Amino acid sequence: MDWDEALGAFDRDMRARSLAERTRKAYGVDLGRFVEWAGTRELQPAGVRHRDVRRYAAGLSAGGASAATVARKLASVRGLFDFLVRSERVGQNPADLVSSPKRAQKLPRVLSVEQLRSLLERIPAHTALQLRDRAMLELAYSCGLRCEEIVNLDRDSYDFESEQLRVLGKGSKERLMPVGEPAQRALRRYLEKGRHALAGDPRERALFLSKSGRRLSSSDVTRRLALWVREAAVDAGVSPHSLRHSFATHLLEGGADLRAIQELLGHASISTTQVYTRVDAARLREAYAATHPRA
């Protein structure tokens, strides 16, 4: 078995497991780099050993790659060989014995309730694009949506009767989200007065449309949020994911159970959600240091 056969079979497996297109492409890019490196050493898949993977990782680090980049590339190699072992194409995963470098833990950027109110209420509701942006960002915060989940919403994703939003998350996993009243009002105004002004093709299913009537891209969402962040004079560094982080942090601060937050965020593992306990603890330490007379 050569590398072309191995990568082709792995890509078909990812498609069968409904991995996102972006994820598959990222694997392809990372594995392409590894295959190129292995080729210069005349290594085929069955001949790769853990010392080879360790040398590859060491070379990446020596070349200036960050710990996060090295860890991601090792995860791609590990994923490929996991598949090759499962499909009995090789006998062992040489990446299993190679530790990923520890990445610096970055706490998520979180907006205060007051900052979010200022940001969202600063968006006017006069033009179709303003109505769209207000509905889109209200919904993003109300439901803690990933950027890709926002742009993948369709017209029928929201049920006004049950007040629930159907969201298609990672791995094509669907979840139903309750929607807060401000987001409901903004969405209703957009559907009644804004969307039809943007729609060119009546067959277009996307909920949020560009000015040319097509489904928005993730970069469109990021760009429009940056515009309103500047208008509201909120600190820089706010991304669509900041709204998701703020959603989870505000729920935790309000007393929500971590398991419930996990379900609302669509996390497969509770360990992913636990980052918000560290965010909350960091805020408590800051408050203690600022206010306790003997801190």
Side-chain angles (χ1 to χ4, degrees):
M1 175 187 59
D2 61 16
W3 287 112
D4 285 342
E5 181 186 347
L7 293 180
F10 183 46
D11 187 66
R12 289 191 294 274
D13 177 70
M14 289 190 289
R15 289 177 185 273
R17 290 186 285 121
S18 300
L19 262 67
E21 180 76 12
R22 187 170 58 182
T23 302
R24 289 194 302 103
K25 285 183 178 178
Y27 268 106
V29 171
D30 287 344
L31 290 171
R33 174 76 181 274
F34 177 72
V35 169
E36 182 181 334
W37 179 89
T40 63
R41 288 153 182 82
E42 298 184 352
L43 290 170
Q44 291 299 323
V48 177
R49 299 291 180 263
H50 73 272
R51 62 179 177 273
D52 299 314
V53 180
R54 187 174 289 121
R55 285 172 187 151
Y56 172 65
L60 291 172
S61 297
S66 67
T69 297
V70 176
R72 191 194 72 235
K73 291 182 182 295
L74 281 176
S76 298
V77 174
R78 194 172 293 115
L80 169 64
F81 278 96
D82 273 342
F83 162 72
L84 296 178
V85 170
R86 280 191 286 109
S87 58
E88 299 182 349
R89 287 175 167 86
V90 300
Q92 61 181 357
N93 187 335
D96 278 347
L97 297 175
V98 182
S99 299
S100 295
K102 289 187 177 180
R103 291 175 279 185
Q105 181 66 57
K106 292 183 179 179
L107 295 178
R109 173 81 163 91
V110 176
L111 297 172
S112 69
V113 173
E114 196 51 50
Q115 283 176 319
L116 268 162
R117 182 180 294 113
S118 173
L119 169 62
L120 295 172
E121 294 183 357
R122 184 64 63 95
I123 304 173
H126 306 309
T127 69
L129 293 181
Q130 291 168 352
L131 288 164
R132 180 203 65 192
D133 289 352
R134 178 69 180 265
M136 179 172 68
L137 299 179
E138 285 275 14
L139 204 59
Y141 170 60
S142 180
C143 300
L145 302 179
R146 300 178 177 95
C147 198
E148 193 168 342
E149 292 171 347
I150 297 169
V151 299
N152 285 339
L153 292 173
D154 290 331
R155 284 178 300 179
D156 60 356
S157 294
Y158 180 66
D159 184 348
F160 281 96
E161 187 172 336
S162 65
E163 299 180 351
Q164 288 186 314
L165 184 73
R166 188 175 68 258
V167 180
L168 194 64
K170 287 186 176 181
S172 297
K173 292 181 180 177
E174 189 175 278
R175 65 187 191 276
L176 289 174
M177 297 290 301
V179 179
E181 289 186 9
Q184 289 184 48
R185 289 195 297 269
L187 186 57
R188 192 181 296 276
R189 285 197 298 269
Y190 165 65
L191 289 173
E192 290 176 351
K193 301 178 181 179
R195 189 183 181 281
H196 68 87
L198 298 173
D201 185 350
R203 295 170 298 178
E204 175 60 67
R205 298 179 62 231
L207 175 60
F208 295 117
L209 300 175
S210 68
K211 60 184 178 182
S212 58
R214 294 192 293 268
R215 188 181 295 271
L216 291 176
S217 67
S218 294
S219 60
D220 290 330
V221 179
T222 301
R223 180 173 49 81
R224 295 299 293 185
L225 173 59
L227 167 69
W228 297 118
V229 165
R230 289 194 299 272
E231 287 288 325
V234 175
D235 293 341
V238 178
S239 68
H241 221 62
S242 300
L243 304 185
R244 178 171 163 87
H245 287 318
S246 302
F247 162 84
T249 302
H250 296 165
L251 285 176
L252 185 65
E253 290 174 344
D257 176 78
L258 200 61
R259 287 286 182 188
I261 296 174
Q262 177 192 356
E263 289 188 28
L264 291 170
L265 289 171
H267 284 161
S269 169
I270 191 70
S271 63
T272 309
T273 316
Q274 283 172 335
V275 65
Y276 297 104
T277 64
R278 293 195 287 276
V279 174
D280 203 37
R283 287 190 166 197
L284 288 174
R285 285 195 298 272
E286 290 174 6
Y288 178 87
T291 59
H292 196 284
R294 297 177 73 84

